[in-house]
């Protein structure tokens, strides 16, 4: 959005005259070409780095609540974690306790843990902290696997334009479990939550095995390859999926219709909530979503590298409206602006999903890049370039934007994208595209900092200078 806000924020801020809700009547204008000509930059690998073989192995189980099916989820989580530094505790983040989600009625509590716990409000409250740490009986060295487990309860907030919510017959969430907050090479990510609609989660990729119990009349989708459901009682079915290298989990269920296809070689599931459109009306969603996914994937794959996950699911939910939410292998969209929202959220599959960042400290490293990907796809740089000379430093953290909310979309999304587009022009499109492919490949399945991007672009000092002047790079 990332979540938040996603493209809707930028659209509202920078596209006052654009044609919301109006579909193209024919093929879109030719997007900026993917540069393939020889470039005067050093050779670098464009094959993705492999996920760390010592990444966490996480088993996650979401169970329904008999009295409040859908509204309340009971979870259990087991983590086999092999740190690359010595640790004294294992830190999880409870993002549904962030101030904005709490305003809408969300809460997450840890009901049981395999070790003693301590908590930090970390932007939440003492009663609803966003950080819980399981304390080890003694320090554990780097390279030794530690296994911990906990049970939790997650109350979904009422309908909202965010990564979690519920309506009468639809329920959805991402970051809806205690999220292991380790970053290899750095340590625990303890950034505070903020009250701004935007992500602050930071996590490394893990091997996730997820099961979800849902009312038997509902369909479940998640950010992995979904197995056939099993009946577990009169009222419930259990669904299961696996994602071997994802940094978070997203789930949606309810009364939905599904359409399966294959685009750019990727299995695609489009799920449309009945509350958004049902029956023949669902075609008005399936068609535009599938078309934009297909075209965006083709462009992004050619520009950045292969699609990084085994499958892609797009969930269309009425409360998301004109925004969007990204998770690795799953994006949530609303009912309009698919031509902007879909390429933006799919851009996040590379920038956040594959190449992770500290979303609290460096939100521009995924939001500006997703906007940049959308601008190149739509050949719509003119929508953003005007923001380059406006005030504000692109590289400020979420704690800054929490106190400058009116500027967040304009600076992080629009000015950030404008800086990247201008850097590409200044550095030479072919060379810039190649270095960016190498940056994606080198940091695949990792977590980057602005310094990593500066290193990648160092052969193009003019490009680096543009990003420095925008306050994106130090
Ligand atoms: Zn975004």
């Amino acid at each position: 959005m990332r979540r938040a806000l996603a493209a809707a924020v930028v659209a509202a801020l920078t596209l006052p005259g654009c044609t919301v809700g109006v579909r193209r009547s024919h093929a879109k204008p030719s997007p900026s070409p993917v540069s393939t000509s020889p470039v005067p930059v050093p050779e670098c690998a464009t094959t993705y780095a492999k996920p760390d073989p010592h990444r966490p192995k996480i088993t996650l189980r979401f169970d329904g609540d008999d009295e409040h099916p859908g509204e309340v989820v009971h979870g259990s989580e087991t983590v086999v974690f092999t740190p690359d530094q010595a640790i004294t505790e294992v830190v999880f983040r409870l993002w549904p306790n962030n101030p904005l989600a709490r305003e809408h009625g969300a809460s997450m509590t840890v009901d049981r843990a395999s070790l003693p716990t301590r908590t930090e409000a970390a932007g939440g409250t003492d009663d609803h902290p966003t950080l819980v740490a399981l304390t080890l009986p003694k320090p554990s060295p780097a390279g030794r696997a530690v296994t911990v487990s906990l049970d939790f309860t997650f109350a979904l907030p009422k309908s909202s334009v965010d990564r979690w919510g519920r309506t009468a017959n639809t329920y959805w969430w991402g970051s809806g479990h205690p999220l292991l907050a380790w970053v290899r090479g750095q340590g625990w990510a303890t950034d505070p939550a903020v009250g701004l609609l935007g992500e602050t989660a930071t996590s490394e990729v893990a091997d996730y095995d997820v099961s979800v119990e849902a009312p038997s009349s509902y369909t479940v989708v998640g950010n992995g390859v979904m197995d056939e459901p099993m009946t577990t009682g009169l009222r419930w079915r259990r669904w299961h999926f696996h994602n071997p290298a994802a940094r978070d989990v997203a789930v949606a269920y309810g009364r939905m219709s599904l359409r399966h296809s294959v685009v750019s070689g990727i299995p695609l599931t489009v799920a449309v909530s009945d509350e958004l459109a049902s029956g023949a009306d669902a075609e008005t969603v399936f068609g535009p979503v599938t078309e934009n996914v297909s075209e965006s994937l083709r462009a992004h794959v050619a520009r950045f590298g292969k699609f990084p996950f085994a499958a892609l699911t797009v969930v269309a939910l009425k409360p998301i409206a004109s925004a969007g939410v990204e998770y690795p292998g799953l994006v949530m969209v609303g009912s309009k602006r698919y031509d902007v929202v879909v390429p933006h959220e799919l851009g996040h599959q590379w920038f956040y999903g594959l190449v992770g960042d500290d979303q609290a400290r460096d939100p521009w490293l995924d939001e500006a890049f997703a906007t940049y990907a959308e601008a190149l796809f739509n050949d719509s740089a003119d929508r953003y370039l005007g923001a380059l000379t406006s005030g504000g430093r692109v590289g400020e953290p979420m704690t800054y934007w929490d106190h400058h909310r009116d500027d967040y979309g304009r600076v992080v999304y629009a000015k950030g994208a404008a800086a990247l587009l201008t850097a590409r022009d200044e550095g030479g499109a072919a060379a810039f595209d190649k270095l960016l492919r190498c940056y994606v490949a080198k940091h695949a399945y990792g977590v980057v900092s602005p310094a990593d991007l500066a290193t990648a672009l160092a052969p193009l000092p003019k490009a680096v200078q543009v990003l420095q002047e925008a306050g994106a790079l130090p």
Side-chain angles (χ1 to χ4, degrees), residues 98-154:
N98 83 39
L100 194 62
R102 289 282 300 144
E103 275 179 29
H104 288 87
S107 70
M108 180 173 280
T109 55
V110 171
D111 307 317
R112 180 202 65 84
S114 60
L115 292 170
T117 61
R118 71 172 185 87
T119 61
E120 287 180 25
T125 64
D126 290 344
D127 288 343
H128 292 90
T130 76
L131 188 155
V132 59
L134 277 59
T135 307
L136 298 168
K138 60 181 182 180
S140 190
R144 177 181 296 173
V146 172
T147 301
V148 298
S149 65
L150 48 77
D151 298 335
F152 61 95
T153 299
F154 177 25

Side-chain angles (χ1 to χ4, degrees), residues 1-3 6 326 344-345 348 367 370 413:
M1 227 158 304
R2 196 178 84 327
R3 281 151 227 0
E326 75 283 13
H344 177 101
E345 303 307 337
H348 279 303
E367 292 304 350
Y413 289 66

Side-chain angles (χ1 to χ4, degrees), residues 231-261:
T231 299
T232 56
L234 289 177
R235 298 179 60 195
W236 301 96
R237 289 193 293 177
R238 181 166 293 283
W239 303 66
H240 171 263
F241 65 93
H242 177 228
N243 194 328
R247 58 185 78 252
D248 208 332
V249 168
V251 170
Y253 62 75
R255 298 192 191 282
M256 302 188 293
S257 44
L258 267 54
R259 177 72 53 84
H260 301 285
S261 59

Side-chain angles (χ1 to χ4, degrees), residues 7 12 55 72 77 103 107 127 129 133 142 192 203-204 216 262 264 280 327 353 367 380 391 468:
R55 65 191 180 280
V72 175
E77 180 172 5
E103 275 179 29
S107 70
D127 288 343
S203 51
E204 65 173 337
S216 54
V262 176
S264 293
Y327 277 89
E367 292 304 350
S380 60
Q468 288 173 330

Side-chain angles (χ1 to χ4, degrees), residues 64-74 166 171 215 235-236 253:
D65 183 286
D66 282 325
E67 290 187 19
H68 307 284
E71 299 175 20
V72 175
V73 176
H74 300 286
R166 60 183 166 89
Y171 308 85
R235 298 179 60 195
W236 301 96
Y253 62 75

